[in-house]
Amino acid sequence: QVQLVESGGGSVQAGGSLRLSCAAFGYTVSWSCMGWFRQAPGKEREGVAEVDAGGNTKYADSVKGRFTISRDNPKNMLYLQMNSLKPEDTAMYYCAEDRTPNCLLVVGLRAPSALGQGTQVTVSS
């Protein structure tokens, strides 16, 4: 069973940047789809970004051009660089793993095999 631990959340003003990190323990995720979800109060969880085993990425339309997902396989790490943050980006952000090399998380066709505990991102106007 993989354990995912997020870090890097915080409070920023609109237009600012944050970098989220996710460390995976107990399983080598090199051949897994990895992604980020977020959930704001009163809203459904949504897939934000994903990267497959080959390094191909996909983003939700709401974050395209502002967020960048990346992975460091030797370190078993996943990252999300968030720039030009908006108040509507405020949410709990979760690291996700799906034990398949191809990604279908953002489009909602697969549920993650594992989720972390989350890290809070708050963007003020």
Side-chain angles (χ1 to χ4, degrees):
Q1 182 77 15
V2 66
Q3 182 184 7
L4 304 173
V5 180
E6 304 95 337
S7 61
S11 297
V12 295
Q13 290 192 325
S17 298
L18 283 173
R19 188 192 194 211
L20 305 185
S21 299
C22 170
F25 300 95
Y27 183 79
T28 300
V29 296
S30 300
W31 297 106
S32 294
C33 167
M34 299 295 295
W36 291 94
F37 283 81
R38 68 184 180 187
Q39 187 166 21
K43 294 189 177 181
E44 290 190 358
R45 188 179 70 192
E46 66 169 332
V48 174
E50 64 189 21
V51 55
D52 68 17
N56 300 299
T57 59
K58 189 179 297 179
Y59 299 91
D61 288 343
S62 57
V63 306
K64 278 181 184 175
R66 300 188 298 121
F67 290 11
T68 303
I69 189 171
S70 61
R71 63 193 302 166
D72 186 333
N73 288 335
K75 294 183 179 179
N76 232 25
M77 294 287 296
L78 180 73
Y79 304 101
L80 185 68
Q81 178 66 43
M82 306 186 295
N83 297 329
S84 303
L85 283 161
K86 304 175 181 180
E88 50 263 45
D89 295 318
T90 295
M92 187 72 80
Y93 283 72
Y94 299 90
C95 177
E97 184 246 356
D98 188 18
R99 203 146 296 180
T100 173
N102 300 310
C103 279
L104 292 170
L105 295 175
V106 170
V107 295
L109 293 180
R110 284 185 61 90
S113 305
L115 275 177
Q117 292 298 309
T119 185
Q120 178 68 37
V121 171
T122 303
V123 184
S124 58
S125 57

